[in-house]
Amino acid sequence: MSHHHCHGHDHDHGNADEVGIQYNLYEKIDKENLECLNETIDGSGKTVFKSWDERHDRTRFVESDADEELLFNIPFTGNVKLKGIKISAEDSDSHPAKLRLFKNRPNMTFDDVSIEPDQIFELQKDTEGVLEYSPKIVTFSSVSHLTMHFPANFGAEKTTIYYIGLKGEFSPGHRHGVTICTYEVRPNIDDHKLKNMDSVSRQIE
């Protein structure tokens, strides 16, 4: 399909397809609950978490609203060991200049970002998504929620981002899930019986 005509973009060290396979954590984001604060268009922040093949898609992007700051609250559907971040934006002053990462702090707002982040990256302008920023493995080895704060760009009034790629390892399920299951075996069986009876009686009607 589309990934066969990417010769010319193969200045990632190694095969572009391979990079694409690694940058698949967008599939593990709980998109329903992902939020982007200070976005101009509601829901546009979710659209920048897309597949590697779509990283050059300029039709879906997020632009900041009141000022240049953007804040993403990104819940995952399990646990992530975060290994790489790529960001693609315009070759202009609207490109974000700094990224502050916070781990496992759901529902952050701009009031909360004054606290010390878990890591800070100084960003360079990147229109192709070729630069990779590496989170500290020790810090970001068990992430169920990632907050990305872009506090500044290169001088424009608003910040625009086309693509955010996340690379890492994913483990399904939440912590303590196993222990909870063992205690809930009995009640669950009863729940299912009730549900089945409901569905039977509906079918009879």
Side-chain angles (χ1 to χ4, degrees), residues 102-120:
F102 299 88
K103 173 189 136 180
N104 297 344
R105 288 180 175 272
N107 309 314
M108 283 185 73
T109 66
F110 288 111
D111 294 336
D112 303 319
V113 295
S114 56
I115 62 171
E116 190 65 28
D118 291 294
Q119 193 163 359
I120 298 176

Side-chain angles (χ1 to χ4, degrees), residues 25 28 75-82 103-104 140-146 168-177:
L25 280 184
K28 310 300 184 187
F76 293 104
T77 56
N79 269 330
V80 163
K81 183 184 283 187
L82 189 62
K103 173 189 136 180
N104 297 344
F140 293 94
S141 63
S142 180
V143 182
S144 55
H145 187 285
L146 180 69
E169 294 170 18
F170 177 80
S171 341
H174 295 284
R175 295 152 308 221
H176 317 308

